[in-house]
Amino acid sequence: QVQLVESGGGLVQAGGSLRLSCAASGRISSIYAMGWFRQAPGKEREFVAAVDWSGGSTRYSDSVKGRFTASRDNAKNTVYLQMNSLKPEDTAVYYCNTSPFNSNYWGQGTQVTVSS
């Protein structure tokens, strides 16, 4: 199985930046792509970004395109989400998972709060 641990969240002012990390362990050889998802209180969990583990190609939701950058460090078995120009609407708990996601891999997530 795969274990995923995300970190790096915090409180930041609008326009600021944060970098989230997701460390993967276990049967990581089975992972083809990693995704970032987020969920605000009372809202449905939504896709944010994904990065291909092998080639590093990425895709993003329209709401974050141009502001967020997903990347991976194969040597560290870690994926990142560089979040720039943060908006209050980005406030949510951010989760990493495989992409497409595996419901068994959801962790605790990391809280991102963007103040106005």
Side-chain angles (χ1 to χ4, degrees):
Q1 57 184 350
V2 174
Q3 297 82 45
L4 303 170
V5 180
E6 51 269 271
S7 61
L11 174 64
V12 65
Q13 293 182 342
S17 299
L18 285 172
R19 188 181 71 163
L20 307 184
S21 299
C22 175
S25 61
R27 298 178 181 176
I28 56 177
S29 61
S30 64
I31 300 175
Y32 293 102
M34 192 73 72
W36 287 98
F37 307 81
R38 66 186 182 186
Q39 186 170 26
K43 302 293 185 180
E44 186 176 348
R45 189 170 299 181
E46 64 178 355
F47 168 81
V48 175
V51 56
D52 179 75
W53 198 269
S54 179
S57 61
T58 57
R59 63 186 179 94
Y60 304 91
S61 67
D62 290 339
S63 62
V64 307
K65 188 174 297 183
R67 300 187 297 119
F68 292 7
T69 302
S71 61
R72 84 278 188 269
D73 186 337
N74 292 40
K76 292 181 176 294
N77 296 324
T78 301
V79 296
Y80 304 94
L81 185 67
Q82 179 65 48
M83 310 164 65
N84 298 327
S85 302
L86 282 162
K87 304 175 180 179
E89 308 91 87
D90 297 318
T91 295
V93 177
Y94 283 70
Y95 303 86
C96 63
N97 207 315
T98 55
S99 184
F101 69 83
N102 186 314
S103 61
N104 295 315
Y105 294 168
W106 296 119
Q108 293 295 99
T110 185
Q111 177 71 49
V112 172
T113 302
V114 184
S115 64
S116 59

